[in-house]
Amino acid sequence: MKNLPSLKNLFYLVNLHQEQNFNRAAKSCFVSQSTLSSGIQNLEEQLGYQLIERDHKSFMFTAIGEEVVERARKLLTDVDDLVELVKNQGEPMTGEIRLGCIPTIAPFLLSRVVKQCQQDYPQLSLLLKEDTTDSLLDSLGKGELDLLILALPVDTTGFHSMKVGIDPFKMVVHEELSGGIINPIDYQKMPDESIFLLQSEHCITGHAITACQLGNSAKINPFAATSLHTLVQMVDSKLGTTFLPQMAIDAGILKDTELNIMNPPGESPYRDIGLVWRQTTSRIATFRTLGLMLENLLAKPE
């Protein structure tokens, strides 16, 4: 058999690429800086190619080094999946799952997910991370997360997705202003810059614009909020109107406000809620079981 590279040294290389600093990378690997540096040098000697260009103050990855990092990430992820396959053989609902979720879902659903898992699958531990869609998909691809809860549609090329429910959109406006809005709502008759949305990195903005048939950008205020809670505060201050997912409304985001709920234009506009995982994972049975659990939770609002 060929003298194969050490997984440990590949792990050092991937962490160095992620941290872009030898000291931080060594700490993340729980080794000394000299150990990490020696491991990467051994890897270069074994492969017969320079992976990093160094001087006394800085370093950079070579072209082949970048390619090795990408392949090493996939290799390490496959090894993790292999270990999980053996560990959970015959017991799919056990072990740890690193679960990522977007900010427009996490505050309104994750506590219910965790509570239901603790009740139904006490041997299963969920490690949670909240981030934007793009960041979560990147972490999933790198093997840093196992499973995502996202709002669909998004580009899931290279991943598998499972729809678990829908989340309708509602329009909210201060009760003192709602009398001036005629049903059915006609956006063209609303003041310019009167509709507030989240920042563009939140996929709910695009989903709301599409689902609610908001085609006139002049009606959208250039100020973009960072969270749904900020949107609620702005609308409650009589600055305009916005769209909220039913999930957030059911969780009480409008509590102690003077906001009225209205149906936006369109045929019951909504966003899909889905699970996303790597196609190469060995835990499909576990993820599908969790998907069925999520379907039941979303079908029964709080």
Side-chain angles (χ1 to χ4, degrees):
M1 181 180 290
K2 295 180 180 179
N3 186 17
L4 299 177
S6 161
L7 289 176
K8 180 167 61 177
N9 291 341
L10 291 173
F11 180 68
Y12 293 162
L13 185 74
V14 168
N15 275 270
L16 179 61
H17 189 273
Q18 179 174 317
E19 298 293 341
Q20 291 296 311
N21 179 277
F22 273 91
N23 185 44
R24 290 197 302 269
K27 288 181 179 179
S28 69
C29 295
F30 301 100
V31 297
S32 67
Q33 186 170 324
S34 61
T35 297
L36 182 133
S37 182
S38 296
I40 293 175
Q41 287 178 352
N42 290 339
L43 182 62
E44 290 178 314
E45 293 170 0
Q46 191 173 25
L47 295 175
Y49 283 95
Q50 184 180 18
L51 305 178
I52 301 172
E53 294 181 11
R54 309 167 177 81
D55 61 27
H56 63 287
K57 289 185 178 180
S58 64
F59 69 91
M60 63 178 291
F61 281 77
T62 63
I64 189 63
E66 294 283 352
E67 179 68 20
V68 170
V69 167
E70 287 306 308
R71 294 186 177 229
R73 280 201 182 104
K74 183 180 185 305
L75 180 61
L76 292 170
T77 298
D78 288 345
V79 170
D80 284 340
D81 288 342
L82 175 64
V83 172
E84 288 297 325
L85 171 66
V86 176
K87 183 188 300 183
N88 301 308
Q89 184 68 26
E91 298 180 88
M93 305 309 292
T94 61
E96 291 183 348
I97 292 179
R98 298 166 296 176
L99 175 65
C101 189
I102 57 175
T104 57
I105 294 178
F108 317 112
L109 182 63
L110 284 189
S111 62
R112 297 176 65 201
V113 172
V114 171
K115 186 180 299 183
Q116 195 67 45
C117 273
Q118 290 173 339
Q119 175 181 314
D120 296 347
Y121 311 111
Q123 301 304 312
L124 188 67
S125 176
L126 299 180
L127 306 179
L128 308 177
K129 179 181 180 180
E130 180 181 319
D131 210 333
T132 61
T133 299
D134 288 344
S135 294
L136 291 176
L137 287 170
D138 182 62
S139 294
L140 182 65
K142 292 178 178 177
E144 297 167 356
L145 293 172
D146 305 309
L147 182 67
L148 307 181
I149 301 177
L150 300 180
L152 306 175
V154 295
D155 183 6
T156 56
T157 302
F159 301 112
H160 185 84
S161 63
M162 173 185 179
K163 179 181 171 181
V164 296
I166 65 171
D167 188 20
F169 283 109
K170 299 297 181 180
M171 195 170 180
V172 295
V173 63
H174 196 279
E175 60 184 20
E176 293 184 13
L177 302 179
S178 59
I181 299 179
I182 301 175
N183 270 315
I185 297 170
D186 184 352
Y187 293 131
Q188 303 307 317
K189 296 180 180 180
M190 297 182 66
D192 288 351
E193 301 185 356
S194 62
I195 298 175
F196 289 86
L197 300 173
L198 290 181
Q199 294 174 341
S200 59
E201 59 261 32
H202 294 279
C203 61
I204 192 174
T205 296
H207 291 159
I209 289 174
T210 301
C212 300
Q213 301 178 5
L214 178 57
N216 189 346
S217 60
K219 304 302 177 183
I220 301 175
N221 194 287
F223 176 86
T226 58
S227 71
L228 292 179
H229 289 87
T230 302
L231 284 181
V232 169
Q233 293 173 14
M234 294 168 65
V235 177
D236 199 37
S237 298
K238 308 177 189 178
L239 296 178
T241 184
T242 193
F243 304 105
L244 293 178
Q246 186 68 52
M247 180 188 300
I249 295 173
D250 291 339
I253 197 171
L254 299 183
K255 184 179 180 182
D256 298 325
T257 70
E258 298 179 321
L259 299 182
N260 286 347
I261 302 171
M262 308 179 73
N263 291 319
E267 298 181 3
S268 303
Y270 64 89
R271 61 177 180 169
D272 289 322
I273 307 299
L275 289 179
V276 179
W277 60 81
R278 290 185 301 279
Q279 293 178 344
T280 56
T281 184
S282 62
R283 308 189 72 182
I284 295 177
T286 299
F287 298 159
R288 289 195 177 278
T289 301
L290 287 176
L292 294 176
M293 184 194 77
L294 274 171
E295 284 184 359
N296 291 330
L297 286 178
L298 291 171
K300 297 181 290 186
E302 287 185 308

